[in-house]
Amino acid sequence: MGRTRLVVFTDLDGTLLDHASYSFEPARPALEGLLEAGVPLIFCTSKTRLETERWRRALANVHPFIVENGGAAFVPEGYFGPDAGYDKRDGGYGVLEFGRPYPELRRALEAIRDSTGLPLRGFGDMSNEEIAERCGFLPEDAALAAMREYDEPFMGADEIALPAVERAAAAAGLRIVSGGRFHHLVGGSDKGRAVRALRNLYVRSRGPVRTAGLGDSPNDEPMLRAVDVPVLVRRPDGGHTEAVDLPGLVVAPYAGPEGWREAVLGLLRGQA
């Protein structure tokens, strides 16, 4: 079926993008290396479709992307041919949907808040100004972050209270995943499920693939378990999320885009 093709999946916040500044500049040599080698770079993020489209434009990325912790995968029309089996078509994309609709998640968060008595506040409870302040966004970027379809970020549960929230979510057929800044209420989706679906489309349309995934948070673990080469990018304090029993795990030497750069250059050199 031809040579094995490398496909790279990556988280954005705290991984390709700096946790504080959201800069990707330190990663530029590796981004250019992927482009020169013709390696698809797939964003796999907790961000919304509109947020992710902004970063695709900034990085001149033309490949499929996964949003809202695996809630859906968006594939540019024609990318995999006419028989990819999408759930719907929307805005020039074929869409594979894995998550639950956002209004359902909003109702569930309200019910969990009532049942636990915890002061849970999701993005749907916040103004764009508050989202901007909490995330370090410009107001226009906060407006894009608020346009959610499959995932509700929330705050108000510390480590002691979180198990009660997880139990209440599970009773409603939902799950809690944790990112770098917020917990997230999601349906039956995760990043790994979406990664596997796109991997299968690559294999069907282009032959054998070798997949790599880069992330920094617990919500990235399903993605890392779904790829051939899992890479943990360090946190700003130099530590990293534990991923127990993850075969072949690579730990990047630095945090954020600096660590991302070194890990991806290693992949391109065939050292990972």
Side-chain angles (χ1 to χ4, degrees):
M1 296 179 66
R3 67 181 180 88
T4 300
R5 179 185 183 91
L6 178 63
V7 178
V8 175
F9 294 85
T10 185
D11 179 45
L12 292 178
D13 292 344
T15 302
L16 175 54
L17 306 179
D18 182 85
H19 180 78
S21 69
Y22 296 98
S23 171
F24 60 83
E25 193 61 33
R28 190 175 292 279
L31 290 165
E32 292 173 352
L34 291 173
L35 185 62
E36 291 170 5
V39 174
L41 178 63
I42 312 299
F43 298 159
C44 185
T45 177
S46 62
K47 291 183 180 296
T48 65
R49 173 184 14 177
L50 293 178
E51 287 181 282
T52 310
E53 286 178 328
R54 174 188 176 250
W55 287 108
R56 288 178 79 240
R57 289 191 295 272
L59 284 98
N61 186 283
V62 297
H63 301 291
F65 57 98
I66 296 165
V67 302
E68 298 191 43
N69 284 308
F74 289 83
V75 181
E77 286 283 8
Y79 191 91
F80 288 122
D83 301 319
Y86 300 121
D87 295 307
K88 66 178 184 181
R89 285 179 162 78
D90 182 10
Y93 302 106
V95 186
L96 298 170
E97 292 188 297
F98 308 102
R100 303 271 276 275
Y102 183 67
E104 183 178 331
L105 299 176
R106 284 292 305 156
R107 291 191 295 270
L109 185 66
E110 292 170 7
I112 294 169
R113 178 168 53 217
D114 292 342
S115 67
T116 62
L118 292 167
L120 306 179
R121 299 184 67 247
F123 271 27
D125 301 304
M126 301 179 191
S127 66
N128 288 346
E129 290 75 17
E130 182 178 356
I131 293 172
E133 181 178 352
R134 292 192 179 280
C135 297
F137 287 166
L138 297 173
E140 54 267 33
D141 295 329
L144 302 182
M147 300 294 290
R148 310 201 72 81
E149 298 173 272
Y150 308 100
D151 167 305
E152 175 66 328
F154 70 92
M155 54 181 296
D158 60 18
E159 289 185 7
I160 296 174
L162 188 60
V165 179
E166 292 172 334
R167 288 192 295 271
L174 304 173
R175 297 188 308 112
I176 306 297
V177 298
S178 296
R181 284 184 170 85
F182 299 97
H183 303 299
H184 298 255
L185 181 65
V186 299
S189 56
D190 62 43
K191 291 186 176 185
R193 185 178 173 191
V195 165
R196 288 189 293 272
L198 285 182
R199 179 188 183 281
N200 290 341
L201 287 176
Y202 274 106
V203 171
R204 281 174 47 191
S205 68
R206 303 182 187 185
V209 298
R210 177 174 179 253
T211 54
L214 300 96
D216 74 315
S217 298
N219 63 335
D220 295 315
E221 185 172 338
M223 171 182 69
L224 299 183
R225 291 191 179 279
V227 297
D228 299 311
V229 184
V231 180
L232 269 179
V233 174
R234 293 183 183 274
R235 296 297 187 86
D237 64 3
H240 60 80
T241 298
E242 295 295 332
V244 180
D245 298 327
L246 195 54
L249 180 67
V250 176
V251 178
Y254 310 117
E258 289 87 356
W260 193 95
R261 176 193 65 225
E262 296 306 305
V264 170
L265 290 176
L267 283 167
L268 290 172
R269 290 191 299 264
Q271 295 177 357

